[in-house]
């Protein structure tokens, strides 16, 4: 950061996925928590840098959220975003990473009760439609910006939207197309993300809330595009969704019980 004026620093996000044991379990690295906390302390002390902390909430850390909030406050953290974990990658076959309907409701209630209190802004991420929790857990109504307001160049040169959407939605590659015009790609190749009528299928096909969520977030669709991989709103209402059918997720007692 040396040699840069504060206005040039931009924004940064730190992942802190629970207290030490839970965080290190999720990141599969026994030193990850210490490194993340050291980075957080450095960022907080850097004037002019916009930042927040994100937490991927799972079954290992959901009971830690109140304690984790106090920990973040003790490090002078001002903004905290909470995510669930989509059933992709390692989470596709690991039920410890996927919240039960009751745990999802607890997460939403925790966020709603914590919003803009105690000097820390607590919000739910932009990842999914939450039904009656909309505007209670974040400032804006759910909308997936992938390919509409967001584009990215991935580490392998692929041009897509958010980095975690399926690679079948890639629209080009800066290494494979040497005379590539990124602006032309943005203007002419992102139609699959802008016209989402194809999402009205599977469990979304006859859903009464489709008019509100528009088929959900892009990262929850794979190359088959047969149905959304999961739906937080339906899960909280104990409706069957693809990932719970495959993982056989069952509830565990709360820490207070």
């Amino acid at each position: 950061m040396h040699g840069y004026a504060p206005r040039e620093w931009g924004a940064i996000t730190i992942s802190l996925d629970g207290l030490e044991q839970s965080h290190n379990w999720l990141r599969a690295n026994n030193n990850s928590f210490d490194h993340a906390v050291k980075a957080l302390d450095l960022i907080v002390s850097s004037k002019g840098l916009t930042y927040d902390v994100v937490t991927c909430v799972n079954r290992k850390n959901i009971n830690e959220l109140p304690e984790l909030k106090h920990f973040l406050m003790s490090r002078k953290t001002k903004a905290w975003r909470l995510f669930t974990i989509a059933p992709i990658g390692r989470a596709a076959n690991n039920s410890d990473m996927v919240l039960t309907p009751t745990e999802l409701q607890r997460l939403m209630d925790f966020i709603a009760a914590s919003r803009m209190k105690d000097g820390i802004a607590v919000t739910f991420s932009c990842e999914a439609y939450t039904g009656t929790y909309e505007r209670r857990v974040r400032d804006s109504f759910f909308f997936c910006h992938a390919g509409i307001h967001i584009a990215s160049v991935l580490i392998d040169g692929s041009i897509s939207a958010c980095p975690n959407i399926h690679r079948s939605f890639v629209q080009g590659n800066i290494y494979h197309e040497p005379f590539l015009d990124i602006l032309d790609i943005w203007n002419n190749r992102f139609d699959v993300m802008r016209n989402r009528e194809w999402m009205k299928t599977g469990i979304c096909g006859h859903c009464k809330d489709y008019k509100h969520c528009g088929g959900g977030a892009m990262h929850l669709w794979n190359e088959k595009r047969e149905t959304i991989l999961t739906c937080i709103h339906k899960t909280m209402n104990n409706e069957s969704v693809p990932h719970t059918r495959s993982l056989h997720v069952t509830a565990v007692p709360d820490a207070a019980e």
Side-chain angles (χ1 to χ4, degrees), residues 101 207-209 231 233-241 244:
C207 179
K208 62 182 177 60
D209 287 293
C231 172
H233 177 51
K234 287 184 179 296
T235 300
M236 286 193 293
N237 287 301
N238 287 295
E239 298 180 44
S240 179
V241 295
T244 53

Side-chain angles (χ1 to χ4, degrees), residues 64-182:
E64 300 174 353
L65 294 182
E67 188 175 353
L68 183 57
K69 178 185 175 182
H70 288 293
F71 176 82
L72 293 174
M73 290 166 54
S74 74
R75 316 305 277 210
K76 300 181 180 179
T77 304
K78 299 299 182 183
W80 185 27
R81 275 184 298 155
L82 294 102
F83 287 71
T84 61
I85 300 179
I88 56 180
R90 286 190 296 142
N93 300 298
N94 190 334
S95 61
D96 283 336
M97 295 186 180
V98 180
L99 298 178
T100 67
T102 299
E103 289 164 343
L104 277 171
Q105 291 175 6
R106 286 177 52 208
L107 172 60
M108 297 302 158
D109 289 338
F110 171 80
I111 297 172
S114 301
R115 299 272 288 127
M116 306 305 295
K117 291 182 178 179
D118 304 316
I120 183 170
V122 183
T123 61
F124 185 54
S125 69
C126 61
E127 65 181 285
Y129 173 67
T130 60
T132 58
Y133 285 98
E134 289 294 324
R135 299 301 297 269
R136 294 172 56 199
V137 293
R138 57 187 166 218
D139 295 335
S140 58
F141 200 85
F142 167 74
F143 179 73
C144 177
H145 294 266
I148 298 174
H149 300 123
I150 297 173
S152 61
V153 177
L154 308 181
I155 192 169
D156 65 349
S158 296
I159 300 171
S160 189
C162 300
N164 60 338
I165 70 173
H166 196 272
R167 294 301 184 263
S168 63
F169 295 106
V170 165
Q171 301 299 306
N173 190 292
I174 62 172
Y175 298 129
H176 300 163
E177 302 174 66
F179 301 104
L180 195 64
D181 185 336
I182 293 180

